[in-house]
Amino acid sequence: MAAIAGVYRRELPSPPAIEFASPQGKQLFAEALADGNMEGFFKLISYYQTQSEPAYCGLATLAVVLNSLSIDPGRKWKGPWRWFDDTMLDCCEPLEKVKVNGISFGKVACLAHCNGAEVDTFRANESTEAAFRKYVSSCTSSEDCHMIVSYHRGHLKQTGTGHFSPVGGYHAGKDMVLILDVARFKYPPHWVPLTLLWDAMNTVVGDTGLSRGFMLISRLERVPSILYTVNCHHADFKTAVTYWTEKIPHLLSSEDIKDIQDIISNIFVSAPKNLKNLISWVAEVRKPEDGGKCLSEEENRRLIIKEEVLKQVRETELHKHVITWLSTKSSCTCDGSLASNSSLLEIASEVCCQGARLLCGNVDSCNTRRSSKADNVESITLASGRVIMEDVKLGVEMLVPCCQRKSDSLSEDGSNSADGKPSVDDVLTVLILALPPTTWSYIKHPMLQQEFSDIVSSDNLPDLLRQEVLHLRRQLHFLTEELLPRRPPA
């Protein structure tokens, strides 16, 4: 048999590492288990997987942790099964880019947040070794929280550079951490000294100039975003974010701003045309044969919540001000309503889709219709069509949330849809709500600053919409800290 080029594993540098399956590694495991610092190990090892691509360490690590926390992805993996796989985690970075460049610390955190986890991030330059030790001890003594570490392999005498893996346990007596390395084709699970792992985290990533670190992942008691999400896939994402985080505070500092309409005008009149794409509404995609003629109980429940969020957006005082501004500003650069798009192809081009892999083919035909809800006399909007994938035609349906509008809420420029699908005025409202609260500190007139701060305060929003807004702010935080320099408060 001819020799095959390639590399079969690497020898684990020991010291400093101790292989988990070695006699010494087994002894460390037994002692740590007796001390109560292996509680999370059994859940993690039950769902432990090897990264499917050489640069998927961050995605594979997160998939292991999300499955260990029994978080439902809300979308299918294969067949009828909902399950996290590293190939499904692409909402914050296209997989094609991850294959080449890997993924950043902030985007792993954002992915965790988008997929139903509570995330606490700690960059090493903003923490201490003692604090890290405390978090390792508390996290490994619980089944409800798992730790992901981002570190430089070179400090452990291993080949390679930046890497992600979950922490599987802690031996307090020897001060050693168990790393469940997801690159199992390269190194097996192993114990390393905590001080050395800290040094490996306390390194700077060249592309961002930011420190590596660790994050704590636990399960949210509620679902993540329902209707809206930050869309970081479009080509001009950085331009939109730069305007949103850098230019708007400058514009709001103008002495010419006298009322709320002036605030909205300053935000949007000089905005890049792609700004409204910074936040997209989320549509749900399914195969007709999966759902039949009626919605499943889960689909119906999710759609009802989406529609309630949409309703709450339109009931805010801010939305009324946005409608007024849109109706009087014919020069608005944010025209082009989402609501004017009704076909499968048009809607898919404007939204982030749950189940978007069904739309990877070419849309062959499409139409929009109203259909009865399951066990309900109300109706839903279905954008349906056929998609050609590998010469096979597949039926596809997209569930479109709707919220009936009052007739007097329609803007003169026709940007709103009478049937109540998400449209530009809703997105502009949510864009403003998603801005950090410190943004409004740049408004010069104190009474106006206080009035507008009250209107956009998350404390004054109904619960579902408040959760949606806080989710978007958190997304923007994770995604922008690596794109833009940090700005001190005004």
Side-chain angles (χ1 to χ4, degrees):
M1 180 176 177
I4 300 175
V7 178
Y8 178 70
R9 309 186 68 175
R10 296 282 190 190
E11 184 176 348
L12 181 69
S14 180
I18 298 173
E19 185 174 346
F20 177 65
S22 68
Q24 191 177 356
K26 293 176 182 177
Q27 183 177 350
L28 289 171
F29 171 77
E31 292 170 356
L33 181 63
D35 290 339
N37 285 123
M38 298 296 298
E39 293 303 307
F41 169 82
F42 296 99
K43 287 288 182 70
L44 288 169
I45 208 66
S46 297
Y47 304 106
Y48 186 30
Q49 68 183 60
T50 304
Q51 60 193 74
S52 62
E53 292 283 343
Y56 275 14
C57 57
L59 304 184
T61 295
L62 184 56
V64 170
V65 169
L66 294 175
N67 286 324
S68 298
L69 291 169
S70 299
I71 294 175
D72 186 343
R75 55 192 186 278
K76 292 177 183 176
W77 165 56
K78 293 181 181 180
W81 302 106
R82 300 197 300 268
W83 184 256
F84 281 109
D85 182 72
D86 55 11
T87 58
M88 296 167 57
L89 299 171
D90 62 349
C91 65
C92 297
E93 188 79 307
L95 294 179
E96 293 73 19
K97 290 184 66 175
V98 180
K99 283 183 182 180
V100 176
N101 302 316
I103 193 168
S104 68
F105 183 86
K107 288 184 177 178
V108 171
C110 188
L111 277 169
H113 180 64
C114 294
N115 285 283
E118 185 75 44
V119 189
D120 293 308
T121 58
F122 304 85
R123 293 192 183 271
N125 66 322
E126 298 173 345
S127 186
T128 64
E129 182 183 312
F132 175 55
R133 182 176 288 105
K134 181 187 73 172
Y135 285 121
V136 168
S137 180
S138 63
C139 205
T140 56
S141 61
S142 169
E143 291 185 343
D144 302 322
C145 177
H146 298 298
M147 177 183 286
I148 292 175
V149 287
S150 168
Y151 59 99
H152 194 293
R153 283 193 181 275
H155 284 257
L156 305 180
K157 298 183 179 180
Q158 298 173 3
T159 62
T161 53
H163 192 57
F164 290 91
S165 277
V167 167
Y170 176 58
H171 192 294
K174 297 290 177 60
D175 199 27
M176 297 193 79
V177 175
L178 176 62
I179 294 179
L180 298 179
D181 199 323
V182 291
R184 296 194 291 181
F185 51 82
K186 186 176 185 180
Y187 295 119
H190 50 273
W191 297 90
V192 295
L194 182 143
T195 54
L196 203 57
L197 179 57
W198 171 257
D199 290 340
M201 290 192 304
N202 197 14
T203 52
V204 173
V205 180
D207 292 345
T208 65
L210 296 173
S211 174
R212 295 180 173 87
F214 62 98
M215 59 187 81
L216 307 180
I217 312 292
S218 54
R219 180 172 177 163
L220 274 174
E221 294 305 317
R222 55 176 176 78
V223 294
S225 65
I226 291 294
L227 184 57
Y228 296 104
T229 189
V230 174
N231 178 13
C232 57
H233 279 201
H234 68 87
D236 297 318
F237 174 69
K238 186 172 182 179
T239 300
V241 166
T242 301
Y243 179 84
W244 205 236
T245 57
E246 297 290 308
K247 188 69 180 294
I248 287 178
H250 172 71
L251 293 172
L252 292 178
S253 65
S254 171
E255 293 283 357
D256 296 331
I257 295 179
K258 306 297 183 184
D259 57 27
I260 291 175
Q261 289 298 299
D262 287 341
I263 293 175
I264 297 173
S265 185
N266 270 264
I267 290 173
F268 292 123
V269 163
S270 60
K273 290 183 178 181
N274 59 15
L275 184 64
K276 67 182 177 65
N277 295 328
L278 183 59
I279 291 177
S280 296
W281 61 278
V282 181
E284 188 164 343
V285 180
R286 67 175 191 168
K287 297 178 183 177
E289 57 267 29
D290 292 341
K293 294 182 179 180
C294 297
L295 297 186
S296 69
E297 183 179 344
E298 289 184 4
E299 288 172 327
N300 193 46
R301 183 176 66 251
R302 288 195 295 267
L303 192 60
I304 288 172
I305 297 175
K306 288 177 188 286
E307 292 175 346
E308 179 61 26
V309 172
L310 186 58
K311 177 174 178 285
Q312 291 182 1
V313 170
R314 292 173 179 170
E315 290 176 345
T316 62
E317 186 176 350
L318 176 61
H319 184 260
K320 297 173 185 176
H321 287 291
V322 170
I323 288 289
T324 300
W325 181 77
L326 283 171
S327 66
T328 58
K329 301 295 180 182
S330 59
S331 61
C332 174
T333 61
C334 298
D335 57 1
S337 166
L338 296 181
S340 64
N341 297 334
S342 58
S343 75
L344 181 74
L345 181 60
E346 289 171 325
I347 294 175
S349 69
E350 295 284 358
V351 304
C352 297
C353 302
Q354 294 171 345
R357 285 186 295 178
L358 293 175
L359 297 176
C360 292
N362 297 317
V363 176
D364 178 52
S365 62
C366 53
N367 62 82
T368 304
R369 71 180 191 275
R370 304 292 288 178
S371 178
S372 297
K373 287 185 178 179
D375 303 319
N376 201 315
V377 295
E378 298 179 38
S379 62
I380 61 170
T381 297
L382 283 175
S384 60
R386 305 196 74 80
V387 176
I388 301 174
M389 297 182 68
E390 299 179 353
D391 298 326
V392 177
K393 289 186 179 181
L394 300 175
V396 176
E397 292 180 339
M398 189 180 297
L399 308 181
V400 182
C402 291
C403 172
Q404 195 62 42
R405 293 178 179 273
K406 297 178 181 179
S407 59
D408 60 359
S409 70
L410 302 181
S411 64
E412 293 177 3
D413 67 356
S415 63
N416 300 323
S417 171
D419 64 5
K421 295 191 295 292
S423 65
V424 67
D425 52 273
D426 309 318
V427 172
L428 298 187
T429 301
V430 173
L431 274 168
I432 294 174
L433 291 172
L435 277 164
T438 54
T439 304
W440 317 117
S441 64
Y442 292 86
I443 299 173
K444 296 295 186 183
H445 299 282
M447 291 183 64
L448 179 60
Q449 180 191 127
Q450 185 60 53
E451 180 186 6
F452 197 73
S453 295
D454 289 343
I455 288 174
V456 299
S457 171
S458 60
D459 293 337
N460 297 330
L461 299 176
D463 186 57
L464 274 176
L465 181 56
R466 180 171 65 253
Q467 292 177 13
E468 200 83 356
V469 168
L470 293 177
H471 168 81
L472 291 170
R473 289 179 184 173
R474 192 79 166 140
Q475 270 189 299
L476 282 167
H477 166 73
F478 287 134
L479 292 170
T480 59
E481 71 168 348
E482 294 171 344
L483 285 176
L484 303 170
R486 297 184 182 182
R487 187 185 187 95

